[in-house]
Amino acid sequence: MIQEQRLTGALPPFEKEYFRKDGSRVPVLIGVATFEKGGNQGVAFVLDLTERKRGEERLRRSEAYLAEAQRLSHTGSAAYNETEILYWSEEASRIWGFDPLQGIPSREAVWQRIHPDDLDRVNENVEHGLREKRSFANEFRIILPDGTIKHIEAVNYPVFSASGELLEIVVTGIDVTERKRAEQTLQRSQFYLSEGQRIARIGSWAFNPSGFFDHWSQELFQIYGLDPQKGAPTLEQYLATVHPLDRDFMAETIKRMHAERCGCDVKNESFDPTASYATFAASVFPLLKTKSSKGFSAPQWISPSRNCSHRSYGRAKEGSATTPIPPPIGFGRSVRTTNSRC
């Protein structure tokens, strides 16, 4: 280096590390220059780089944390303008099927991987967002070279200059393929359950201690003659569909089930607004959660009836079937029986 300095009169700045008296290291930047070529007089500087090195290390850690967070959450990030992609994260490359070692892909290569059926909609959303100069979201599919289809949800943030010129669009994209598959699986399961209940004429409801139904199946609306558009009924609305002579009994059964966290088998009559009566059999069991409980029931429609033959009715006893009690004289109907399963 000394020979180079004598020949050229200067040395390009270079980094070096020295030890302090306490043994700690100090990174420095050194530069040397003579006043004239071959001269013996000159100037040199030594710049302490400790803070800059610490800042660089913090930046490297932040980038590593961000990359790991994106990998775990399947979230990629990018920035692009009207002609090229300015930034493309490693996770974005993995999501879109590009090799991170190959650097930033071209804008055309990225756009070619958007599903053909979604491409026009994506472009329309981009153009609309730029016209409105606001952030916008896109949900679309991409097709990888091996034929794999992925579902992407992306949020775009346009950045404009003071004069209103587009500088860049910053994008955060999430791979939601697994979530979409889970949703499709759930939808199929719900369809199979709904069809099974429809064919078997079985409905289901769930009731919480607060006095509201958490769940009321579609078939149950048909069985009880209620309007699905109005949502699950209140307890009072449900009890109003129960035969008047069974109503207090059913209310007490639900109350006791929550109080004692027990299940039961119930048979009773309900009627719809046309005053047509139908006989139901239901199994009710508790779903325990901490100190509170939720009840789940699966009522089954047995037969429509206005004047059914007499059957026994009674109140629940611990651990056994109830003792039959004759129905009121002159009222012929299918009436209630209960088995307690506390």
Side-chain angles (χ1 to χ4, degrees), residues 239-290:
L239 291 175
T241 68
V242 179
H243 194 287
L245 295 182
D246 287 342
R247 196 168 295 152
D248 291 342
F249 169 75
M250 283 301 299
E252 182 63 26
T253 298
I254 294 175
K255 180 179 179 181
R256 181 169 178 260
M257 182 193 71
H258 285 305
E260 301 181 15
R261 300 184 182 183
C262 65
C264 60
D265 298 316
V266 180
K267 185 179 291 183
N268 69 347
E269 278 194 342
S270 292
F271 62 95
D272 60 27
T274 66
S276 297
Y277 293 94
T279 305
F280 296 91
S283 292
V284 186
F285 56 91
L287 304 176
L288 300 181
K289 288 189 176 182
T290 62

Side-chain angles (χ1 to χ4, degrees), residues 158-186:
V159 179
F160 297 92
S161 66
S163 61
E165 180 183 357
L166 176 65
L167 300 178
E168 63 181 5
I169 301 175
V170 180
V171 188
T172 300
I174 305 176
D175 181 359
V176 295
T177 305
E178 291 303 318
R179 191 188 76 191
K180 288 292 184 180
R181 289 173 181 169
E183 289 174 354
Q184 292 169 358
T185 300
L186 178 59

Side-chain angles (χ1 to χ4, degrees), residues 310-322:
H310 291 267
R311 291 218 292 260
S312 62
Y313 76 105
R315 298 192 180 278
K317 291 185 178 180
E318 289 286 344
S320 63
T322 60

